[in-house]
Amino acid sequence: ALVDTPAPRIDIYVRRTTPWVQVKVRDNGAGMTTEELGRIFTPFFTTKAQGTGLGMVIVRKMLLKMSATIEVESEKGMGTSVEIHLPEAKDGV
């Protein structure tokens, strides 16, 4: 997503908001259209020449098994932001 981006950047934020741990990853890459964004969790859909279209599908399924959520925002030419909310471990770890 950062290929051909003049000053590629990835920002990662982690924040604890009891009872959640929020992980946010944001880039300034190619971004996606509204149509592409609406299909990112569809098996075998990809915007990459070498992609399989399974990465986001697998991530979402794994997060659902952990009672976690994922939200993706993107704008073509402006980049993408992925926010994951993970439940805190019950033993504090």
Side-chain angles (χ1 to χ4, degrees):
L2 294 172
V3 174
D4 299 326
T5 300
R9 183 173 172 169
I10 298 174
D11 298 314
I12 301 171
Y13 306 92
V14 178
R15 184 174 74 172
R16 182 181 229 159
T17 57
T18 304
W20 301 97
V21 175
Q22 174 191 23
V23 179
K24 187 173 187 175
V25 180
R26 183 174 57 196
D27 70 40
N28 65 339
M32 293 177 274
T33 65
T34 303
E35 179 185 339
E36 291 169 333
L37 184 59
R39 297 183 63 201
I40 63 168
F41 297 113
T42 302
F44 306 109
F45 172 77
T46 182
T47 60
K48 312 266 186 300
Q50 302 296 321
T52 63
L54 293 174
M56 292 301 285
V57 174
I58 293 168
V59 166
R60 186 179 194 195
K61 285 186 179 192
M62 290 173 62
L63 290 171
L64 286 172
K65 295 263 186 207
M66 295 186 288
S67 300
T69 62
I70 184 169
E71 299 171 23
V72 182
E73 295 178 355
S74 189
E75 187 176 340
K76 191 71 174 171
M78 299 300 291
T80 300
S81 175
V82 177
E83 191 169 312
I84 297 171
H85 290 94
L86 301 159
E88 283 183 319
K90 292 190 184 344
D91 61 5
V93 177

